[in-house]
Amino acid sequence: MSPAGACSPPARLLRDTDSPLGTIARKVGYTSEFAFAKAFKREYGQAPGQYRRADDQPPLIAV
């Protein structure tokens, strides 16, 4: 995984596709969805599903 500031392939797949988590895990080299989710949370500070849902939210604009 890349540093949290960079958009890593797993983060990009979560953001740009609606592929299931297990499919993304295998594409990036994990044999287990659980291991991928644990590594993703360690790197990004949130679970992959939370990351995906947060990306669906429109940005808030301060007025």
Side-chain angles (χ1 to χ4, degrees):
M1 300 238 186
S2 305
C7 190
S8 67
R12 194 173 305 114
L13 288 167
L14 285 166
R15 185 189 64 210
D16 296 342
T17 73
D18 55 357
S19 297
L21 187 57
T23 301
I24 292 173
R26 285 187 297 280
K27 280 186 177 184
V28 297
Y30 286 87
T31 56
S32 137
E33 182 178 327
F34 176 78
F36 169 71
K38 189 172 180 178
F40 190 94
K41 186 170 184 175
R42 183 173 51 244
E43 187 69 30
Y44 286 88
Q46 59 186 334
Q50 290 175 314
Y51 181 88
R52 178 177 265 170
R53 285 188 300 274
D55 193 59
D56 288 340
Q57 301 298 319
L60 296 176
I61 300 173
V63 182

